Amino acid sequence: MSEHLGDKLKRLRKISDLTQEGLAERSGLSVDVIRKLEQRQRSSATLPTLHALAKGLGVELTSLLGDPPGVPSTGEADPPQLVAVRRAISPPLFAPPPEPKRAEKLSMPLLRAEIADAWTLYHEAEFGRLMELLPDVITDARFASAVGADDERAAGQAALGKALQLGGHLAIRLGKADLALMSLERAMDAAGKSSDPLLAAMVSNSVAWAYQRQNRLDDATGLAIYAADNVEREHATDASGVRVWGGLLMSAATSYARSGDYERADEMMRTAEKAAGRVAKMPAPEDGRLVSVFSKSSVRIERVRLAVQHGRPEEALTLAKGMRLSRDTPASWRTWLLLDVARAHADVGSVEGAVKALESLRRVAPTWMRHHTLAVAIVRDLWELPARPPGLRSIAEFLGITT
């Protein structure tokens, strides 16, 4: 079971040789907030509070707020599957590149299909399976980028860029910030040599997300806005371009919100939601799995998330009410929505609504739920209530909280 947020905070504060008062001064928070978290009166906090604590402690946000782990977080050496991913992203120095295992069958349509399938695994949080497949996909793409005529190599570079972008996303989810930025830097290099005019902007969005995870919010905002402006100038009339632009706008809005400017973030999200309405009326991309996730559903899900994270649970529940998710909404986004709705219900005191959302989450993503920090924190908060609602015990036992 994951470490309680209060215990993490106390441990990191002591490592930094700070008193509660000293951390409060560094983070710009009240001592009362820090004391309540450390005393386990709350198992979770709003995202701006977590960013302030991370800044005060001098650590990355991921030290306080985790994601579902794809590998055991035991402090031991990387498992063989992750070593293989690292080796594919960064091949051995001064050695000939490995030949693809399926060179005789390799074709660009097949390679693009493999990459799209790998992205689907990522969005379904199938990180173990993805670690098994991704090294061969990257190796195939690297081979395709180095053979054939100029246009064939450019198409191969586009495939390599998407594969390395996925490597960066996976590394972020596994808590490997160094590997993530290395993979994304190499993805950006491939994008510059590729035939895909939108690839550099999509990789920029991934880098902005990596910066958010490191609490580099100004860097994340600046990069997302710069890339969005470039896309808007060149690709504002086709569905792929608007999807990439919209994804970047959402990323910039998230950074503004995490910096404390919720009003500006909300305004940008409303603009993105209108653009998503236009996308729905445009011809769909040939394979939307290789383009940024952007739809009316994804924007609304992100608006719900930001409202919850910034202490506006009533607004979050209003946004989520009656929402119809589009068929292309990734499974991971659906699970996030259920988690955020559960958190919003808990924050307004609707424990029955929270349990109902948690029961749905358990049905659709049991493994994801068991390992997710915020899901565990919500159930902990509910379990400590004087009167426990029906259905909570089963969930608490599933997460190991009753012991």
Side-chain angles (χ1 to χ4, degrees):
M1 189 171 63
S2 61
E3 186 181 10
H4 193 284
L5 174 60
D7 296 336
K8 281 185 196 174
L9 179 60
K10 183 183 293 185
R11 173 172 54 81
L12 292 169
R13 177 175 60 78
K14 290 183 176 180
I15 289 173
S16 300
D17 196 24
L18 289 170
T19 63
Q20 289 181 339
E21 291 76 12
L23 177 57
E25 183 178 353
R26 279 195 181 187
S27 60
L29 299 171
S30 70
V31 176
D32 187 55
V33 168
I34 295 169
R35 185 177 296 118
K36 285 182 177 179
L37 286 170
E38 292 193 358
Q39 291 176 351
R40 294 188 171 204
Q41 294 182 32
R42 286 284 298 189
S43 297
S44 57
T46 64
L47 205 54
T49 297
L50 292 171
H51 272 288
L53 288 170
K55 183 177 180 180
L57 291 166
V59 299
E60 292 187 5
L61 180 64
T62 48
S63 299
L64 291 170
L65 180 65
D67 281 302
V71 293
S73 302
T74 59
E76 299 176 358
D78 289 344
Q81 299 96 322
L82 183 54
V83 172
V85 172
R86 189 181 289 275
R87 192 169 186 268
I89 291 171
S90 178
L93 296 175
F94 315 119
E99 290 286 332
K101 297 178 181 178
R102 300 157 292 179
E104 70 283 354
K105 299 180 181 179
L106 189 61
S107 67
M108 190 51 58
L110 175 62
L111 180 56
R112 287 177 61 85
E114 288 179 345
I115 295 171
D117 289 343
W119 274 99
T120 297
L121 287 175
Y122 169 79
H123 286 304
E124 293 176 348
E126 294 287 347
F127 299 143
R129 179 64 177 147
L130 180 56
M131 279 194 288
E132 294 175 3
L133 296 178
L134 189 57
D136 283 345
V137 172
I138 293 176
T139 298
D140 287 351
R142 185 170 280 116
F143 179 80
S145 71
V147 299
D150 289 349
D151 59 336
E152 294 172 316
R153 291 198 302 273
Q157 291 286 355
L160 178 60
K162 286 303 295 184
L164 289 170
Q165 183 193 14
L166 178 54
H169 277 243
L170 176 62
I172 292 171
R173 287 299 188 195
L174 301 182
K176 305 295 182 181
D178 62 327
L179 181 62
L181 289 174
M182 178 192 301
S183 193
L184 293 173
E185 182 178 357
R186 295 180 182 211
M188 186 64 80
D189 180 67
K193 303 172 184 175
S194 80
S195 56
D196 186 344
L198 292 169
L199 182 54
M202 288 189 282
V203 177
S204 294
N205 201 353
S206 302
V207 175
W209 179 42
Y211 286 163
Q212 288 175 1
R213 305 281 296 188
Q214 295 179 318
N215 213 20
R216 296 171 58 179
L217 298 178
D218 289 343
D219 292 335
T221 305
L223 179 57
I225 290 176
Y226 174 79
D229 287 345
N230 287 339
V231 173
E232 189 174 25
R233 281 194 298 269
E234 302 291 336
H235 305 282
T237 58
D238 63 273
S240 294
V242 177
R243 284 178 62 166
V244 173
W245 173 83
L248 287 160
L249 193 66
M250 290 170 61
S251 179
T254 299
S255 294
Y256 276 123
R258 294 183 180 184
S259 300
D261 193 346
Y262 183 83
E263 287 69 25
R264 186 169 186 178
D266 187 59
E267 180 183 351
M268 295 176 77
M269 282 294 185
R270 290 173 185 272
T271 300
E273 198 160 20
K274 291 179 182 177
R278 296 199 309 271
V279 170
K281 300 174 183 177
M282 296 178 176
E286 182 178 345
D287 193 337
R289 295 180 297 172
L290 295 177
V291 187
S292 299
V293 175
F294 183 68
S295 65
K296 293 179 71 174
S297 296
S298 68
V299 178
R300 183 57 64 93
I301 289 171
E302 189 66 17
R303 289 186 66 192
V304 171
R305 183 183 303 178
L306 291 182
V308 169
Q309 292 173 343
H310 291 79
R312 299 167 182 253
E314 296 90 351
E315 181 180 334
L317 292 173
T318 299
L319 288 167
K321 187 175 181 179
M323 187 189 307
R324 294 184 178 180
L325 300 181
S326 59
R327 287 180 299 176
D328 62 347
T329 302
S332 58
W333 288 66
R334 296 171 186 267
T335 55
W336 267 113
L337 177 62
L338 287 170
L339 179 59
D340 288 330
V341 169
R343 169 72 181 272
H345 276 297
D347 286 349
V348 300
S350 173
V351 290
E352 292 80 7
V355 170
K356 184 177 179 181
L358 290 166
E359 287 174 337
S360 296
L361 181 59
R362 179 181 175 181
R363 284 195 299 271
V364 301
T367 303
W368 187 93
M369 180 184 186
R370 176 173 276 152
H371 293 293
H372 200 282
T373 306
L374 183 55
V376 174
I378 294 169
V379 177
R380 274 181 173 149
D381 284 341
L382 295 174
W383 186 251
E384 292 169 4
L385 293 174
R388 294 167 184 160
L392 180 61
R393 174 172 289 277
S394 175
I395 298 172
E397 288 176 348
F398 174 71
L399 297 179
I401 289 174
T402 58
T403 57

